[in-house]
Amino acid sequence: MISVLIVDDHPVVRRGLRAMVDDLPEVTAVGEAADGAEALRLLDGPAPRPDVVLMDLQMGTGMHGVEATRRITALPDPPAVLILTTYSTDADILAAVEAGATGYLLKDAPPEDVAAAVHAAARGETVLAPPVAARLLGRVRSGRPTLSPRESEILQLLAEGLANRQISKRLFISEATVKTHLVHIYGKLGVDSRTGAIAAGLGSGLIRPA
C-alpha cells in the first residue's frame, strides 16, 4: 500500500480528498495537515513517513505549499511531494517544480489520473497534468523573463499588496533579503518600481491577479 499525507487548509476539501484517496487502488491516507508547518511537524513525528504528500499551494495564513515542498524535499529520505491545486499560473508551476515537487496536478483531475500520479510519484517519477506541461513548454518557447521561485513568490506577494516587512514575515526571510530580491526582479523585468514590476508580471503571465 502507498501511504499518503494530505495537506490542504480547507477541512471539507481534506475530507473529500481523504475519501477519494482511500478509494484509490493500493493507496491509503495516513494523515492530514492544514498547512505546511503542520505537515512538517507530522513528518518529524514518531510515525513512519508517508510515501507521498498531496500538497495544496495556497493555504491561508499558514506556511504555503511551495515553502513546505522546499523544506520537505530537503529532509533526509523525504517523501515525494505531489502538488494538487487549483492554481496553474507559470509562476506557481515553476516555483513548485523548482522547490522539488515530483508532480503537479489540478484539482479537477479525474480520480484515475490522481491514482496514476500517486503511484508514479511513489516510484520517483515526474507527473505533470497536460495543461501544466503545456504551460511549461510554452514558457520555455516564449523567451519571457525567468524569475527564480523566490523572486516569483515575492512578486506575487507584491501583487497582493504586501509591504516588504509583511513579505519578510510570510517567507521567513529578512527585509534586507526582500529588498535584494526586488532589485533582481526589477532588473529582469526592466522596471524601476513596485507598480511597474506588478504590471510586467501580470502582463507576461508570471503571476496571477490578486
Side-chain angles (χ1 to χ4, degrees), residues 20-184:
M20 180 190 68
V21 166
D22 284 337
D23 282 340
L24 299 179
E26 300 178 349
V27 179
T28 184
V30 295
E32 301 175 17
D35 62 22
E38 184 178 359
L40 285 164
R41 287 194 295 271
L42 292 174
L43 293 173
D44 285 336
R49 284 183 179 169
D51 301 303
V52 178
V53 177
L54 270 184
M55 178 76 69
D56 193 12
L57 281 185
Q58 303 297 330
M59 289 180 283
T61 58
M63 184 188 296
H64 56 80
V66 170
E67 182 63 25
T69 298
R70 185 178 293 113
R71 296 191 184 198
I72 289 171
T73 55
L75 294 172
D77 192 24
V81 178
L82 180 59
I83 302 298
L84 184 63
T85 184
T86 58
Y87 299 99
S88 61
T89 67
D90 292 0
D92 288 322
I93 296 166
L94 187 64
V97 171
E98 293 193 358
T102 300
Y104 198 113
L105 294 180
L106 302 180
K107 284 184 176 177
D108 59 359
E112 57 268 24
D113 287 358
V114 177
V118 168
H119 281 269
R123 296 192 297 268
E125 300 173 6
T126 299
V127 183
L128 297 175
V132 172
R135 291 187 73 94
L136 284 178
L137 182 59
R139 181 189 179 92
V140 170
R141 290 174 173 169
S142 69
R144 285 178 290 180
T146 300
L147 302 182
S148 72
R150 179 65 84 191
E151 290 166 353
S152 296
E153 290 175 287
I154 290 174
L155 184 56
Q156 181 63 54
L157 294 175
L158 282 184
E160 294 173 8
L162 273 67
N164 289 1
R165 178 172 296 182
Q166 294 171 305
I167 292 173
S168 71
K169 290 181 178 179
R170 177 75 65 88
L171 299 181
F172 307 100
I173 58 178
S174 69
E175 285 190 66
T177 300
V178 173
K179 292 177 181 177
T180 299
H181 282 303
L182 287 176
V183 170
H184 294 159

